[in-house]
Amino acid sequence: MSTLVEKIKAIEDEMARTQKNKATSAHLGMLKAKLAKFKRELITPKSGGGGAGEGFDVAKTGDARIGFVGFPSVGKSTLLSNLAGVYSEVAAYEFTTLTTVPGVIRYKGAKIQLLDLPGIIEGAKDGKGRGRQVIAVARTCKLIFIVLDVLKPLGDKAIIEHELEGFGIRLNKKPPNITFRKKEKGGINLTTVVPQSELDQQTVKQILSEYRISNADVILKEDSTCDDLIDVIEGNRIYIPCIYVLNKIDQISIEELNIIYKIPHCVPLSAHHKWNFDDLLELMWDYLQLTRIYTKPKGQLPDFNAPVVLKEADKTVEAFCNNLHKGILKDLKYALVWGSSVKYQPQRVGKEHELCDEDIVQIIKKH
């Protein structure tokens, strides 16, 4: 393991020494590709040794999963306890939480699972502490709360982001708009739809040669970097929205608080005093992008207490039926929908119809 870490360190040192200019861009691209390969080996060791560690992976429940990531003793456990009423051991010394502690909150009709993950330390992605298991659980979350101490936020934020990036987690980013296709023959074809500031034919060839790819079509539909191309080739990157929770605001002045409020993706609060939880929950709901659909049995009023919650990626009538029961779809004649997704109230729709938040649906079966 140390040899891999040493190799990564050697490449990072060489990258730091290399001047960035047009002549060295291909060489830097190749180094970045090497680095990505070594990091992947580090995350998924070849040997099948050892389990995941007792108490780490938690069964998924509810409609979405949120992970609390942060350094030891920044108030993750206090925040979880006060949000979900779950007891996660709290103390004033570091590393109190040693396994994943789950909690569930109900918000706007949706059940949301909160996971208090053990504290991350610098070097987690290299296997230090229990960082590898912590970040592996973080990869399964729909949203990540990075909990920071308001008195030293920026340094901690940079370290945690670096650790998560090393594990292929991209925070608040969209997947690069790059099409990459391997082929049998024909060399490497690079097509650029917009002018590129970093990637050219030589750099792309160098990066692909590092992966032993000599025949491929690469289409760059936006101004992309070497890292973007490597992310697409690796194909194991996960794009997760993230909210920075700045805890312990009871220790700073109003002027400082006003400055903090201007930082994007950020919510200042006090977990101990339960200040500003409503802002956090509101932002959490925006980032999760869940769609609530209410059911209406024939001849009865809609049931507003238990909505069916659909993900942003698939909010069709078909997904709604499958969420209720897998057998409903084959008996579906059509659905009646009330709400903002239709022109008339109610309107007959088929299984391909896309629903909007808080629509009401009645299923009409074939007789």
Side-chain angles (χ1 to χ4, degrees):
M1 185 62 73
S2 61
T3 54
L4 259 182
V5 177
E6 281 162 16
K7 282 178 187 171
I8 288 173
K9 179 86 174 70
I11 291 175
E12 282 176 342
D13 289 348
E14 191 179 340
M15 281 168 65
R17 284 197 304 273
T18 310
Q19 284 186 333
K20 278 187 181 175
N21 56 42
K22 205 75 185 147
T24 61
S25 63
H27 178 63
L28 276 170
M30 186 195 70
L31 288 176
K32 283 179 177 173
K34 262 190 184 158
L35 196 61
K37 274 170 66 185
F38 286 144
K39 283 183 174 175
R40 184 185 59 211
E41 279 178 44
L42 199 61
I43 298 164
T44 51
K46 287 186 176 70
S47 67
E54 163 264 330
F56 257 83
D57 209 18
V58 177
K60 267 191 178 177
T61 60
D63 303 305
R65 189 182 219 190
I66 298 176
F68 288 69
V69 176
F71 277 102
S73 297
V74 289
K76 299 192 298 295
S77 300
T78 313
L79 185 57
L80 180 77
S81 305
N82 289 338
L83 272 175
V86 171
Y87 182 70
S88 175
E89 200 171 318
V90 176
Y93 54 84
E94 302 204 334
F95 294 113
T96 329
T97 308
L98 294 173
T99 58
T100 305
V101 179
V104 176
I105 57 169
R106 276 200 168 277
Y107 187 69
K108 296 193 176 180
K111 264 176 77 177
I112 295 162
Q113 185 182 35
L114 306 176
L115 297 181
D116 178 15
L117 301 173
I120 281 188
I121 54 169
E122 204 170 346
K125 66 181 185 323
D126 305 330
K128 283 189 196 166
R130 300 188 75 173
R132 181 177 294 161
Q133 294 110 312
V134 175
I135 299 178
V137 176
R139 277 177 74 100
T140 65
C141 295
K142 185 102 178 354
L143 172 67
I144 288 178
F145 285 169
I146 291 185
V147 187
L148 302 165
D149 190 329
V150 78
L151 298 175
K152 43 175 185 182
L154 290 175
D156 289 0
K157 174 175 177 277
I159 293 167
I160 290 172
E161 282 176 345
H162 185 64
E163 297 296 323
L164 293 175
E165 290 260 326
F167 261 80
I169 295 174
R170 302 287 176 263
L171 301 173
N172 293 327
K173 284 183 187 169
K174 285 192 162 57
N177 199 355
I178 297 174
T179 304
F180 168 71
R181 271 192 304 270
K182 285 188 197 176
K183 52 186 186 177
E184 291 296 313
K185 53 178 188 268
I188 286 165
N189 286 340
L190 177 65
T191 311
T192 55
V193 179
V194 294
Q196 298 293 317
S197 55
E198 191 173 315
L199 289 174
D200 54 21
Q201 184 81 21
Q202 190 193 355
T203 312
V204 170
K205 265 190 175 169
Q206 281 273 29
I207 291 171
L208 290 174
S209 70
E210 192 52 50
Y211 287 94
R212 294 194 171 87
I213 297 169
S214 47
N215 300 300
D217 289 329
V218 180
I219 305 167
L220 306 174
K221 299 172 188 170
E222 61 186 10
D223 188 3
S224 306
T225 63
C226 295
D227 294 323
D228 291 340
L229 181 59
I230 291 164
D231 283 354
V232 171
I233 297 166
E234 284 279 344
N236 62 353
R237 305 300 190 232
I238 291 180
Y239 298 84
I240 305 178
C242 165
I243 296 174
Y244 300 101
V245 180
L246 291 176
N247 190 16
K248 307 184 183 177
I249 56 168
D250 47 322
Q251 298 175 9
I252 58 168
S253 66
I254 295 289
E255 290 77 26
E256 287 170 308
L257 190 58
N258 288 337
I259 295 166
I260 285 168
Y261 245 112
K262 291 172 184 161
I263 303 170
H265 315 295
C266 185
V267 178
L269 54 75
S270 170
H272 182 69
H273 295 286
K274 303 187 185 180
W275 295 345
N276 210 20
F277 278 12
D278 46 355
D279 260 21
L280 177 65
L281 292 171
E282 208 44 63
L283 197 62
M284 172 197 82
W285 185 257
D286 288 350
Y287 279 47
L288 284 175
Q289 294 184 307
L290 298 174
T291 304
R292 293 161 294 170
I293 309 297
Y294 301 113
T295 53
K296 183 188 181 302
K298 198 171 182 183
Q300 294 176 33
L301 287 170
D303 178 8
F304 290 114
N305 294 323
V308 172
V309 179
L310 302 178
K311 310 278 189 292
E312 178 69 19
D314 189 8
K315 42 185 189 180
T316 56
V317 172
E318 184 176 350
F320 168 78
C321 292
N322 287 334
N323 202 308
L324 287 172
H325 190 276
K326 293 279 186 287
I328 290 180
L329 203 62
K330 64 177 190 292
D331 297 330
L332 175 74
K333 188 177 182 186
Y334 59 87
L336 286 175
V337 177
W338 291 257
S340 53
S341 70
V342 288
K343 195 173 175 184
Y344 307 107
Q345 311 291 335
Q347 185 170 322
R348 275 188 183 202
V349 298
K351 64 178 184 182
E352 288 85 20
H353 176 74
E354 277 222 348
L355 300 162
C356 290
D357 194 26
E358 298 200 274
D359 277 1
I360 296 167
V361 178
Q362 182 180 332
I363 302 292
I364 307 294
K365 290 185 175 182
K366 297 170 188 165
H367 295 302

